[in-house]
Amino acid sequence: MTFPDAVARVADMAGVPMPRREAPADPGIRRRAAARKALEAAAELYSQLLADSQGDHAREYADGRGYDRQTRHEFGFGLSPSSAGVLLRRAEAKAVSADAMIHAGLVLRRDDGSLYARFRGRLMIPIHDRQGRLIGFGGRDLVGREPKYLNSPQTELFDKSSVLFNQHRAQGPAYRANRLFVVVGYLVAIALARCGSGEVVASLGTALTETQLKL
């Protein structure tokens, strides 16, 4: 962890309130905060859709791959809706603007100004940074479309060449075991973690970059 993150964690453990910070004046900070809120609203919706009747097929797929209910809960599995309307209505209910949804990489704008969802009808896996903050998603197609796997686009929060999936969970187990397994793909990492190997991370693509090696 960074020093500020460590202070915040220990303060929370000890029940000591942290001093309140002034609202940031930097537009970039506000934009990133709004994008995080958009991602969190989407993750909540995806989780709900997977749990209800719309998620029957996705749950059957996950069960068939060995990702049981406990695993799905631990790793935040979800299901993206088939249209942007559901997602945008949830964003509006959570006071999240369309611009924030765009900055988060959740929706895109057509030439005519209308919006459409980047992820449609996919099994969704949240992606976090090394501090455990939600920064994007990976989506696995369920109906034979290409690409089979689709990640969030590059945003101010997410750059797949600079992220290792599951790092925030794997850091402790890797330190204690003095080893780290590096695999290709988040579903492979989740499968290994489910089998008891918590010291596993995944690249978000077939390439392993210098930045990821340093991480």
Side-chain angles (χ1 to χ4, degrees):
M1 292 184 181
T2 63
F3 179 75
D5 289 332
V7 171
R9 177 69 64 84
V10 173
D12 182 63
M13 292 167 60
V16 177
M18 290 284 288
R20 294 184 63 181
R21 296 181 179 179
E22 296 295 326
D26 184 348
I29 293 177
R30 292 198 301 270
R31 187 169 57 247
R32 288 190 291 274
R36 288 190 192 281
K37 186 176 180 181
L39 291 169
E40 290 164 1
E44 182 181 275
L45 173 65
Y46 296 157
S47 178
Q48 291 174 357
L49 292 178
L50 181 63
D52 70 18
S53 59
Q54 298 180 57
D56 289 348
H57 177 59
R59 292 196 306 275
E60 288 175 6
Y61 169 82
D63 287 337
R65 291 285 298 267
Y67 305 114
D68 57 19
R69 179 180 295 181
Q70 180 178 340
T71 301
R72 297 196 297 267
H73 175 73
E74 180 181 352
F75 286 89
F77 279 45
L79 175 67
S80 54
S82 57
S83 69
V86 177
L87 184 59
L88 291 170
R89 286 193 293 274
R90 173 57 63 93
E92 185 178 4
K94 294 288 185 177
V96 174
S97 69
D99 283 343
M101 300 291 283
I102 293 172
H103 289 142
L106 295 167
V107 299
L108 299 92
R109 193 182 298 278
R110 297 187 179 91
D111 292 339
D112 62 6
S114 62
L115 298 174
Y116 66 99
R118 177 176 179 82
F119 302 102
R120 298 183 298 279
R122 290 176 178 265
L123 185 69
M124 302 297 291
I125 312 295
I127 300 170
H128 303 81
D129 64 15
R130 61 192 302 179
Q131 282 82 38
R133 298 173 298 191
L134 182 58
I135 56 174
F137 291 95
R140 206 289 186 188
D141 177 66
L142 297 171
V143 295
R145 294 172 304 183
E146 292 294 337
K148 182 183 296 184
Y149 292 95
L150 181 66
N151 293 321
S152 290
Q154 182 161 328
T155 68
E156 290 185 77
L157 299 177
F158 180 78
D159 178 356
K160 74 174 185 178
S161 65
S162 302
V163 175
L164 287 171
F165 175 80
N166 201 46
Q167 183 179 1
H168 66 298
R169 299 185 188 92
Q171 289 174 140
Y175 178 79
R176 291 187 290 272
N178 194 33
R179 67 183 180 185
L180 182 68
F181 297 115
V182 183
V183 300
V184 176
Y186 33 81
L187 289 180
V188 179
I190 294 170
L192 282 175
R194 183 182 61 82
C195 294
S197 299
E199 62 278 23
V200 58
V201 297
S203 62
L204 299 172
T206 56
L208 191 64
T209 67
E210 183 177 349
T211 300
Q212 290 169 324
L213 287 170
K214 290 178 179 177
L215 289 174

